[in-house]
Amino acid sequence: MKRKRIALILGAATLLVTGLLVTTNAYAANLLTNPGFESGNLSGWSCTGTGSGAVTSPVHSGSYALNGNATASDTAQCTQTVAVQPSTAYTLTGWVRGSYVYLGITGGASTWTSGTAYSKLTVPFTTAAGQTSVQVFIHGWYGTGAYQADDISLDGPGGQPSPTTASPTTSKSPSASPSPSKSPSKSPSTSPSPSTSQPPVTGLPKHALIGYLHASFANGSGYVRMADIPAAWDIINLSFGEPTSVTSGDIRFNRCPVAECPNVESDAEFLAAIKAKQAQGKKVLISIGGQNGQVQLTTAGARDAFVNSVSAIIDRWGLDGLDIDFEGHSLYLNAGDADFRNPTTPVVVNLISALKSLKAKYGTKFVLTMAPETFFVQLGYQFYGGTTQGDNRAGSYLPVIHAVRDFLTVLHVQDYNSGPITGLDNQYHQMGGADFHIAMTDMMKAGFPVANTGQTFPGLREDQIAFGVPAAVSAGNGYVAPAVVQAAVNCLVKGTGCGGYTLRGGTSPNFRGLMTWSINWDRYYSWEFMNTQEPFLNALP
């Protein structure tokens, strides 16, 4: 028997007290409108594509079910937005049939199945503090044809009435979902599952120019004094804070010695220049790690030392926050650590704890950026370190990014020094063209299934996403001409010039900007990166 929506009024009596009418809240066993499509139409739902509607066969129960027609360009996604209560447990269930059918919460938990008979999907989740609505989604997969869904139920206490029961999607892409196959060539890709957190007030421009300053070494490019950095740079990452030993957690920032950097300024001049940059609205951060700065927070003691020593650096120089540039073997996943939402590996758990402690200490103005390599992020679509017999570092940044997504300011993945990476089109993408930047960045907006886990990494807010490129040919492998970088950004922001790639995450008008390694190398090559990219970013809508 099909389950209908039943409003259960608890404590239905009303009290008239001093002229005020007081009523109790209403709770619903199923919060969805038209959950079994028994209206004979899609009332209460917002659906994409053509051919979607209520059908009389095949149904799971009752007289009607949803039929979605997934084409090569559309997954026939249907959504419904429902009012909920904060910090409350809910259960989403539904019966589905067809090739690769997905059920979930936009920006949150999801699941999938594939088969010719109706199967029940169940998605338990808990709303965040302050969250008052969720968007339920159901969809098929690109080019897989018709799917059916029936008896969709969202069980839990209702919230305040939502302004609308249906929320249209903003693109043709579906919400991020688990990969149904371990083979990238056979598995569907993924789709938007943006973060539900709100953009913080950062003081950054809509599109920012981000660069690393060799503050502790010259590296062949020469030393650049803080006061001599042009005003075009919005975030300046001081490179690098490094540990006294790999596992100590004790981070030290030593400025470039005179023997290596003859033109290095005094500490007083350096501090004054930092304050001058901040007065201009710029953000100056300490970057931890780099190629040589291996940081493994294997113990609680190392975690605490990290928090204390990084705090000391921030306080000493009056910095705005922290950049995490852990490379090499700093992060990895122990065997069996297969849930990026609940990691167990100490080096990951302790880093997350340390970052949350720093955020708590410095509050809303704390700026946190990250510069992982593609190996530690996007490779997680094909291999995940805690589940495979391959490299246990694959995708190991994912649990860290996920845990701090609510206060992460910018993630600028290094689109350089990278091997081929499988994108959401299930094609290998290699450095040297705009498509590499497009595909890698789209993964961060759309989210993606994490290999061999049955879980989906939700996409980030577009204002949290940038990507990094070398400033010049000497700065790193993967340098491309400024026009190639701009072509990629135009695709990501405007949807133009994407070549053969289809954005799974949709366009990102609030794309945060571009990062480069490094300010020093850019100066060495006559500011090519800055002079071309800063006016380009400023001209974006």
Side-chain angles (χ1 to χ4, degrees), residues 105-170:
I105 300 298
T106 300
S110 64
T111 189
W112 64 275
T113 191
S114 186
T116 57
Y118 270 104
S119 299
K120 186 178 183 180
L121 295 177
T122 301
V123 182
F125 66 97
T126 300
T127 53
Q131 185 176 357
T132 58
S133 67
V134 296
Q135 185 184 70
V136 171
F137 70 78
I138 180 83
H139 64 73
W141 203 256
Y142 295 104
T144 56
Y147 74 87
Q148 290 77 45
D150 204 353
D151 299 319
I152 313 299
S153 177
L154 179 61
D155 287 335
Q160 294 298 316
S162 176
T164 176
T165 58
S167 175
T169 58
T170 56

Side-chain angles (χ1 to χ4, degrees), residues 201-541:
V201 178
T202 62
L204 291 171
K206 184 176 181 180
H207 307 296
L209 196 71
I210 305 165
Y212 285 79
L213 178 71
H214 307 180
S216 58
F217 57 95
N219 198 30
S221 59
Y223 184 80
V224 178
R225 294 164 65 98
M226 176 66 70
D228 295 336
I229 297 174
W233 300 94
D234 299 301
I235 298 180
I236 301 165
N237 290 323
L238 304 179
S239 308
F240 286 107
E242 299 181 359
T244 54
S245 69
V246 172
T247 58
S248 71
D250 185 10
I251 307 299
R252 303 297 173 90
F253 172 56
N254 299 310
R255 302 192 53 241
C256 192
V258 174
E260 184 179 357
C261 303
N263 61 324
V264 64
E265 68 268 63
S266 68
D267 285 357
E269 291 170 330
F270 187 66
L271 181 58
I274 290 174
K275 292 183 180 298
K277 291 295 180 188
Q278 293 169 328
Q280 297 171 1
K282 313 304 179 182
K283 307 298 180 183
V284 184
L285 315 180
I286 179 63
S287 181
I288 307 298
Q291 180 178 348
N292 298 325
Q294 303 294 294
V295 182
Q296 295 180 354
L297 304 183
T298 55
T299 65
R303 175 201 64 197
D304 295 342
F306 182 88
V307 172
N308 293 333
S309 58
V310 170
S311 296
I313 295 170
I314 292 174
D315 295 343
R316 167 68 177 86
W317 300 106
L319 304 179
D320 296 287
L322 173 66
D323 172 73
I324 296 296
D325 184 16
F326 283 16
E327 300 181 16
H329 291 269
S330 293
L331 289 181
Y332 54 84
L333 296 163
N334 290 338
D337 189 352
D339 186 350
F340 73 88
R341 302 164 304 180
N342 299 286
T344 57
T345 306
V347 294
V348 172
V349 173
N350 288 329
L351 176 59
I352 292 170
S353 177
L355 295 178
K356 289 183 176 180
S357 294
L358 289 165
K359 168 63 175 177
K361 177 175 181 177
Y362 292 104
T364 57
K365 294 183 179 180
F366 181 69
V367 176
L368 175 64
T369 65
M370 294 186 183
E373 296 166 292
T374 57
F375 185 93
F376 297 100
V377 184
Q378 289 95 336
L379 186 62
Y381 177 48
Q382 189 176 8
F383 304 104
Y384 191 60
T387 66
T388 67
Q389 295 181 347
D391 198 310
N392 66 351
R393 298 171 297 165
S396 58
Y397 253 87
L398 294 178
V400 181
I401 297 168
H402 184 68
V404 302
R405 64 173 56 237
D406 287 344
F407 62 92
L408 176 63
T409 310
V410 189
L411 175 77
H412 34 67
V413 175
Q414 299 179 31
D415 283 3
Y416 48 93
N417 299 334
S418 173
I421 301 291
T422 300
L424 297 181
D425 55 357
N426 293 317
Q427 302 297 315
Y428 280 113
H429 294 269
Q430 301 189 56
M431 298 184 302
D435 72 299
F436 185 76
H437 304 301
I438 294 168
M440 294 302 98
T441 309
D442 187 40
M443 293 181 79
M444 304 320 300
K445 169 71 179 298
F448 55 88
V450 180
N452 306 317
T453 67
Q455 299 159 2
T456 299
F457 176 81
L460 297 172
R461 298 190 316 263
E462 57 194 69
D463 68 280
Q464 294 176 302
I465 302 171
F467 66 81
V469 296
V473 292
S474 300
N477 295 322
Y479 169 82
V480 294
V484 176
V485 175
Q486 293 174 6
V489 174
N490 280 329
C491 171
L492 295 166
V493 173
K494 304 175 184 178
T496 60
C498 298
Y501 188 87
T502 300
L503 293 173
R504 272 66 177 177
T507 57
S508 299
N510 294 313
F511 170 75
R512 180 57 77 183
L514 295 169
M515 174 274 280
T516 194
W517 177 263
S518 62
I519 292 174
N520 303 62
W521 279 117
D522 196 32
R523 194 278 305 269
Y524 189 85
Y525 281 85
S526 303
W527 301 111
E528 177 191 73
F529 180 86
M530 180 189 73
N531 287 337
T532 55
Q533 305 304 358
E534 194 255 353
F536 167 73
L537 290 174
N538 289 345
L540 291 175

